[in-house]
Amino acid sequence: MSRISEVSSTAAQQGRKLLIPYLVAGDPDLETTLKLMHQLVDDGADIIELGVPFSDPSSDGPVIQKGVERALSRGTTLVEVLALVADFRTTNKHTAIVLMGYLNPVERMGYAHFVEGASSAGVDGVLIVDLPPSEASAIKPLMDTKGIDTIFLVAPTTTDARAAQIAANCTGYLYYVSLKGVTGAALIDTESVRQSIEKLRRLSDLPIVIGFGIKDAASAKAMGSIADGVIIGSALVEKIAELNGETPHTVERLRAVSEVIRLARGALDER
Amino acid sequence: MPDTQQQSVGFAGPDRLGHFGPYGGTFVGETLVAAVEELAAVYEEVSKDPEFWAEYDHDLKYYVGRPSPLYLAERLTAKAGGAKIYLKREDLNHTGAHKVNNTIGQALLAKRMGKTRIIAETGAGQHGVASATVAARLGLECFVYMGAEDIQRQAPNVYRMKLLGATVVSVESGSRTLKDAMNEALRDWATNVDSTYYIIGTVAGPHPYPQLVRDFQCIIGRETREQSLEQLDQLPDALVACVGGGSNAIGLFHPFLNDTSVAMYGVEAGGDGIETGRHAAPLSSGVPGVLHGNRTYLMTDAGGQIMETHSVSAGLDYPGVGPEHAWLKDLKRVNYVAATDAEAMQAFHQLTRLEGIIPALESAHAVAYAMKLAATMAPEQSIVINLSGRGDKDIQTVAKLEGLTL
């Protein structure tokens, strides 16, 4: 059983919602990212989505774009991101790690080389934003062989037929994009999300988590009530921006950044 | 109509998912998949509809002013000293470049799809102007994304777009040029997908854009073919066009792909010289990768980050290229070469002084290479250069390079 499946089935047994923070690896530097990952776990993260910086993040809103630019200004590479995961794994064996990014850095490294590296670093899942299932037939079997989950997005505009195709190809969890647009965009219409999630339930037994636009404890709680978990990205990256590149960070500073996750955990766990 | 009989032999493409050999495809986020699939379905239907093409042809004739002439440049020919040089005068189109052939077609698609809002990305501003123009004509709202650096370089075109009623959005992210404008337009499209039609200006982007933009630009090559047979009594020996994204080049080349006697040269922006790394020539020095929805040759670093490009011409300043060009390179059907900033500038002045035609700096790259090529050919041979745009928009850039302010 993959680590993602273990984490989510344990959560399901305990009646607990998955909390998945997203942060950009190397924002503002790799050392801080590593410390923040551990802090996020302390504050209740079940899975961490680690953004792999790419120069042209065309599915991301301004907050994450800036995080990516901060990471790239220090020259953060995919090789370093894999090393970061390996570092994290030396002390943490239970939190699942998902790499989220764009295809070109993976193509440049080569699919086989990437999958091998991700596997030995301890990566549990990969979500390549600009790689739909129809273009994933070369990389997916390699990931399957190594037991790395291939996660795909489902959007409000996704047709039923396509949702079925995505569900058939996806492993780990289904990532439901709660709104039209880019990461960090505006408001979520809870009722329409609920209907879409219900439809997805009929297509897949995978956990369904919601991302794009969840920015605080209240929206986390609202979305948590209709799905198996929530992803919080822009709201966290916005806090990381406030670190302003200063290092080293005190535990208090890191705890302050992670507060949005701590509050979301509290709200998700309320009965 | 698209030249389907041409596609049946040898260079058929793309397949149903938009692949040209290993290139092209649909590499977009899930939020955009429904939009590109809808567009592909509508275009597949429309491309078989004679009424659609009749309306397109009508607009090209009465609004754009087609056909554009094929002009024998006698003094340029004499200067180069070899093959006869003909210019396909896309600079004479309404709005001053080939870009309008595509925006006319895509605006008709937008109308069919009931979209009320148009967005576009632009580098040199020619595609932005051509998009703003068709939007004004159809009464559609228009937003043009343009890199902040390009807004500086192409001030006259920015003002033209504003006069036409478009909103020009300055893009401050990344390298602040064409590629970043395209990222921003993709973000807008994902957010406003119900109301909005995205007019991509070149033969790149996710399927079906490389195919449909090509089909709308093929009018250039079809006319050139007819005009050659009429004026030269034969096909030309060589075709030369500049390649940024590659829409003017594919438009000229495509109807000739099966004419094996016709050599083809796509001229990329050599910037300060390929060896300096400061250029915009992915086919000359790049590697395959994925950007903006398709797999193609790209300028990327060892870690897969897209590199900043350099060219004196904003319209060629792009790190990728249309996937069909990538394929034609691998098939060795088209030769991809480069002209430097300096060579393009020299050709700009030569064409201006010898023929009284001020070319766009983009097109000047094709002129530069064609003059070198002509010198290696016999006087009874002929070359057609796609003079893809006129240079009025560039006079400030040229003046600045010569140390003048206007």
Side-chain angles (χ1 to χ4, degrees):
Chain A
M1 193 190 262
S2 79
R3 195 157 11 218
I4 293 174
S5 311
E6 273 173 42
V7 166
S8 45
S9 61
T10 308
Q13 281 160 21
Q14 299 171 345
R16 189 180 133 93
K17 299 295 179 180
L18 296 171
L19 177 57
I20 311 176
Y22 165 97
L23 73 172
V24 180
D27 169 26
D29 55 69
L30 288 159
E31 196 191 328
T32 306
T33 304
L34 180 63
K35 287 183 179 160
L36 269 172
M37 289 166 76
H38 289 301
Q39 182 64 46
L40 293 167
V41 172
D42 289 348
D43 286 328
D46 301 293
I47 299 171
I48 294 173
E49 283 189 354
L50 206 48
V52 180
F54 178 52
S55 52
D56 293 76
S58 57
S59 289
D60 285 301
V63 171
I64 290 177
Q65 284 174 50
K66 291 212 177 72
V68 167
E69 282 181 15
R70 288 191 294 272
L72 286 177
S73 72
R74 302 210 174 210
T76 310
T77 64
L78 178 52
V79 173
E80 288 172 328
V81 176
L82 294 176
L84 168 69
V85 176
D87 265 4
F88 176 78
R89 278 279 170 257
T90 57
T91 53
N92 181 315
K93 311 283 184 207
H94 65 282
T95 306
I97 301 290
V98 171
L99 297 186
M100 182 169 179
Y102 294 79
L103 185 57
N104 199 55
V106 174
E107 290 241 331
R108 196 75 168 93
M109 183 177 276
Y111 288 171
H113 192 172
F114 166 73
V115 171
E116 184 63 47
S119 170
S120 52
V123 169
D124 304 296
V126 173
L127 196 178
I128 300 171
V129 180
D130 55 350
L131 184 70
S134 57
E135 301 283 2
S137 57
I139 195 168
K140 177 122 186 10
L142 300 173
M143 305 250 270
D144 289 348
T145 307
K146 289 287 179 186
I148 298 177
D149 288 316
T150 313
I151 295 158
F152 292 104
L153 302 170
V154 179
T157 48
T158 303
T159 59
D160 293 354
R162 204 177 147 74
Q165 186 205 1
I166 292 169
N169 280 279
C170 187
T171 56
Y173 53 83
L174 275 167
Y175 185 136
Y176 183 77
V177 176
S178 50
L179 41 80
K180 291 176 190 167
V182 293
T183 51
L187 289 171
I188 305 171
D189 172 358
T190 310
E191 192 42 43
S192 76
V193 173
R194 182 195 305 276
Q195 288 169 14
S196 304
I197 301 285
E198 277 170 16
K199 265 203 246 174
L200 275 179
R201 294 263 185 231
R202 292 196 284 274
L203 294 172
S204 172
D205 295 331
L206 290 176
I208 300 171
V209 303
I210 301 180
F212 282 40
I214 297 171
K215 43 192 59 157
D216 51 25
S219 49
K221 190 174 169 63
M223 289 298 115
S225 71
I226 55 181
D228 301 309
V230 298
I231 298 156
I232 298 179
S234 296
L236 176 61
V237 175
E238 210 153 35
K239 284 290 176 190
I240 293 173
E242 289 172 12
L243 288 175
N244 230 348
E246 46 167 283
T247 49
H249 310 292
T250 59
V251 177
E252 288 71 37
R253 287 291 271 151
L254 298 178
R255 269 182 59 83
V257 167
S258 180
E259 187 189 23
V260 61
I261 300 303
R262 206 156 48 243
L263 295 176
R265 180 79 270 167
L268 288 170
D269 292 348
E270 269 170 29
R271 299 285 152 167
Chain B
M1 308 257 307
D3 43 340
T4 40
Q5 76 277 20
Q6 295 279 334
Q7 294 176 16
S8 60
V9 222
F11 301 99
D15 68 13
R16 277 208 68 244
L17 294 173
H19 299 109
F20 297 90
Y23 303 106
T26 311
F27 295 90
V28 292
E30 187 58 31
T31 45
L32 278 178
V33 167
V36 296
E37 284 189 346
E38 182 197 9
L39 180 60
V42 169
Y43 184 65
E44 201 176 334
E45 194 188 304
V46 152
S47 62
K48 294 175 198 135
D49 179 357
E51 267 179 47
F52 177 88
W53 292 103
E55 194 176 353
Y56 168 76
D57 288 341
H58 180 276
D59 282 355
L60 288 187
K61 182 172 176 186
Y62 294 101
Y63 187 70
V64 175
R66 301 202 73 94
S68 67
L70 183 65
Y71 164 75
L72 173 60
E74 292 187 30
R75 296 189 69 211
L76 194 73
T77 298
K79 177 80 182 173
K84 284 194 280 297
I85 299 176
Y86 287 82
L87 305 176
K88 178 61 174 167
R89 298 290 310 277
E90 292 299 300
D91 60 314
L92 294 178
N93 292 338
H94 177 45
T95 73
H98 73 289
K99 292 290 185 188
V100 73
N101 302 328
N102 169 44
T103 59
I104 288 278
Q106 291 204 54
L108 291 176
L109 278 177
K111 204 169 78 173
R112 283 228 176 176
M113 295 169 79
K115 305 288 185 183
T116 55
R117 180 174 176 270
I118 276 176
I119 57 171
E121 84 294 335
T122 199
Q126 290 303 105
H127 174 59
V129 167
S131 297
T133 298
V134 296
R137 179 166 174 251
L138 295 177
L140 302 172
E141 203 183 2
C142 181
F143 287 79
V144 180
Y145 289 92
M146 190 165 184
E149 182 166 330
D150 292 336
I151 286 181
Q152 294 299 317
R153 291 197 276 193
Q154 305 286 343
N157 269 346
V158 174
Y159 188 56
R160 284 168 84 193
M161 288 184 265
K162 288 181 180 163
L163 286 174
L164 289 161
T167 304
V168 179
V169 185
S170 176
V171 177
E172 308 281 350
S173 57
S175 61
R176 315 191 326 156
T177 58
L178 180 54
K179 79 175 176 74
D180 310 285
M182 201 153 174
N183 291 334
E184 211 51 46
L186 287 167
R187 291 179 189 119
D188 179 313
W189 199 25
T191 309
N192 302 295
V193 66
D194 296 329
S195 66
T196 299
Y197 185 98
Y198 178 17
I199 303 189
I200 291 185
T202 192
V203 286
H207 178 65
Y209 284 104
Q211 177 185 7
L212 70 86
V213 176
R214 175 198 73 195
D215 289 349
F216 291 138
Q217 291 295 358
C218 274
I219 185 72
I220 303 171
R222 285 201 303 275
E223 283 180 7
T224 301
R225 215 168 176 286
E226 272 175 40
Q227 289 164 328
S228 302
L229 293 173
E230 197 180 298
Q231 294 171 227
L232 287 67
D233 283 326
Q234 59 187 355
L235 296 179
D237 297 285
L239 305 174
V240 182
C242 65
V243 177
S247 69
N248 90 80
I250 208 79
L252 176 64
F253 296 164
H254 197 264
F256 290 90
L257 285 177
N258 292 306
D259 298 310
T260 49
S261 68
V262 181
M264 299 180 188
Y265 299 87
V267 187
E268 294 192 297
D272 292 343
I274 299 291
E275 69 289 350
T276 66
R278 280 177 48 78
H279 58 81
L283 291 167
S284 304
S285 76
V287 293
V290 172
L291 178 69
H292 293 151
N294 63 105
R295 182 178 283 120
T296 186
Y297 280 86
L298 295 175
M299 290 177 57
T300 85
D301 67 16
Q305 307 300 339
I306 306 302
M307 286 157 63
E308 294 203 3
T309 51
H310 167 77
S311 170
V312 69
S313 113
L316 301 182
D317 210 347
Y318 181 68
V321 64
E324 193 164 11
H325 285 293
W327 193 44
L328 291 171
K329 171 189 161 76
D330 286 6
L331 293 174
K332 298 186 166 38
R333 177 63 186 96
V334 178
N335 306 290
Y336 293 93
V337 295
T340 63
D341 284 355
E343 289 169 328
M345 285 299 296
Q346 188 188 12
F348 173 91
H349 286 298
Q350 283 175 323
L351 187 63
T352 301
R353 288 297 182 90
L354 292 169
E355 298 289 347
I357 296 170
I358 303 179
L361 284 175
E362 290 78 14
S363 319
H365 287 72
V367 175
Y369 185 78
M371 289 182 72
K372 283 203 283 196
L373 179 67
T376 67
M377 293 166 66
E380 58 276 13
Q381 292 186 294
S382 56
I383 296 176
V384 174
I385 301 173
N386 194 0
L387 198 70
S388 54
R390 67 177 187 226
D392 309 42
K393 69 181 174 63
D394 292 315
I395 56 175
Q396 285 191 353
T397 306
V398 174
K400 203 172 153 196
L401 285 169
E402 324 238 290
L404 306 169
T405 16
L406 299 184

